[in-house]
Amino acid sequence: MMQIGKFADRSGVSIHTLRHYDDVGLLRPSGRSEGGFRLYTEEDLERFLVIRRMKPLGFSLEEMRQVLEVVDALTGATGTEREEQRSRLDGFIEAARARRAKVLEQVAMADEFIGLLEERRSS
Amino acid sequence: MMQIGKFADRSGVSIHTLRHYDDVGLLRPSGRSEGGFRLYTEEDLERFLVIRRMKPLGFSLEEMRQVLEVVDALTGATGTEREEQRSRLDGFIEAARARRAKVLEQVAMADEFIGLLEERRSS
DNA sequence: TAGACATTGACGCTGCGTTAACGTTT
DNA sequence: TAAACGTTAACGCAGCGTCAATGTCT
């Protein structure tokens, strides 16, 4: 169990961001100390990895929350429930592919922009 | 000379966004009608193209404003002034290359994320 | 004159950063 | 006890979206 400061160091995000994630229900610490200090576990760090990958792709906190929800629900689910969560997950996989495509377009945008500036430079 | 609505259609951004760009000095319409309607020219659309390419790369409105400023200052400048603007432009070209690299990293992030979800799907 | 189109102004939203005033841990 | 670390609450900011009340264009 580590306090928020250590978790911030290891995750690379600020303490305030972690507080915010807690407030909106995106990433809740596994426990609290007697005095109310947030206590995080290694497992919390694991869950954070999902956030770390999704955020740069432009997903909202709410969407990340939902993905974590599905992933959590999937471990331990069986039968119909399992199928249901799987199809929810498929939706997110689709969304991720769409984002990937968008990001690739942005690389092309960057190239166009750089070309535009270089042209202006020597005009 | 076209009104804001037509400019919005042709540029693909909302009327409110254009108003906001005007307010912050990013993209000012070339004129106003007697009654105060914003009037945009084809040249304004040209300038907008810079914005269109920069925005997906995550540049702030202020940075875009500065790039437009440099590009404008460069056309018609000579001698020392020209060299000065060129070096400012070089800074932005560098920044654009950095963004390009970042965006490429995001593609890798997307792949990792998709892989992570697919793994969870069949676990 | 009507209808489409525009105006300013204000408040709402996300995802945090930034104090401020104060309590906890060691 | 002090120093380091944490707490909630509240306001600030970018970049718009979304009314609302009103004026302009054709």
Side-chain angles (χ1 to χ4, degrees), chain B residues 3 5 19 32 37-38:
Chain B
Q3 290 181 359
R19 269 198 5 86
R32 289 274 186 156
F37 281 24
R38 270 164 268 254

Side-chain angles (χ1 to χ4, degrees), chain B residues 6-74:
Chain B
K6 189 151 244 169
F7 193 93
D9 286 347
R10 294 186 57 186
S11 65
V13 297
S14 75
I15 288 177
H16 191 284
T17 297
L18 291 174
R19 269 198 5 86
H20 186 59
Y21 288 177
D22 187 5
D23 287 350
V24 301
L26 172 56
L27 188 69
R28 297 233 152 92
S30 292
R32 289 274 186 156
S33 74
E34 290 271 309
F37 281 24
R38 270 164 268 254
L39 296 176
Y40 294 87
T41 63
E42 294 294 327
E43 201 185 327
D44 292 333
L45 256 177
E46 274 295 311
R47 300 186 79 230
F48 175 78
L49 290 185
V50 171
I51 297 172
R52 153 151 300 190
R53 268 138 192 161
M54 287 187 77
K55 219 186 60 175
L57 299 178
F59 285 102
S60 70
L61 299 193
E62 172 58 19
E63 288 170 312
M64 298 192 255
R65 203 190 56 67
Q66 287 179 35
V67 168
L68 282 173
E69 192 178 280
V70 173
V71 167
D72 290 349
L74 208 53

